[in-house]
Amino acid sequence: MTTVATHRALPDMIYEEVRARIVSGRLEPGQPVRQDHLAAELGVSKIPLREALARLESDGLVVLNPRRGFEVRWLSAEEAEEIFDLDRKSTRLNSSHTDISRMPSSA
């Protein structure tokens, strides 16, 4: 069971890392995502990387060009603002969850 949990967690971790690179601008719009290079840099195989890239594609952050591979998608100002707004909300939610989990239980 640990193997399945670890297998599922790895694409999620890769997704978060690549997404952060896109949002921060370290991976720029129009820049090709070189799977071999990125997999080596992250120390992962291409299979979980492809899973993460497929998720990023469904989120609209990368596009898959036939015979050329993935590249970072150009975002409109509204799309970029929406992503940053979601990140802010997620950060606040995670912060609230951490604060609640530190509260003593009333048993």
Side-chain angles (χ1 to χ4, degrees):
M1 186 166 192
T2 303
T3 305
V4 173
T6 302
H7 177 70
R8 279 284 18 129
L10 186 57
D12 293 339
M13 291 187 305
I14 296 167
Y15 167 86
E16 292 297 331
E17 175 61 26
V18 176
R19 185 181 187 281
R21 290 179 185 203
I22 292 169
V23 171
S24 71
R26 287 176 40 210
L27 288 174
E28 298 177 0
Q31 179 178 350
V33 178
R34 304 282 182 231
Q35 291 183 47
D36 291 337
H37 174 74
L38 191 55
E41 187 178 321
L42 297 174
V44 299
S45 72
K46 288 194 280 185
I47 293 171
L49 176 59
R50 284 188 197 120
E51 290 179 39
L53 290 171
R55 188 169 158 201
L56 288 162
E57 182 182 29
S58 73
D59 289 351
L61 294 175
V62 298
V63 293
L64 178 59
N65 296 315
R67 294 182 293 280
R68 290 189 11 217
F70 288 96
E71 74 176 39
V72 179
R73 185 171 165 263
W74 290 90
L75 300 175
S76 68
E78 292 93 19
E79 290 169 322
E81 180 59 34
E82 183 178 328
I83 289 170
F84 289 123
D85 188 45
L86 288 173
D87 282 347
R88 285 190 295 266
K89 288 177 182 176
S90 175
T91 300
R92 282 197 305 263
L93 181 61
N94 288 337
S95 175
S96 297
H97 177 70
T98 300
D99 292 343
I100 291 170
S101 67
R102 290 182 181 172
M103 294 178 68
S105 62
S106 56

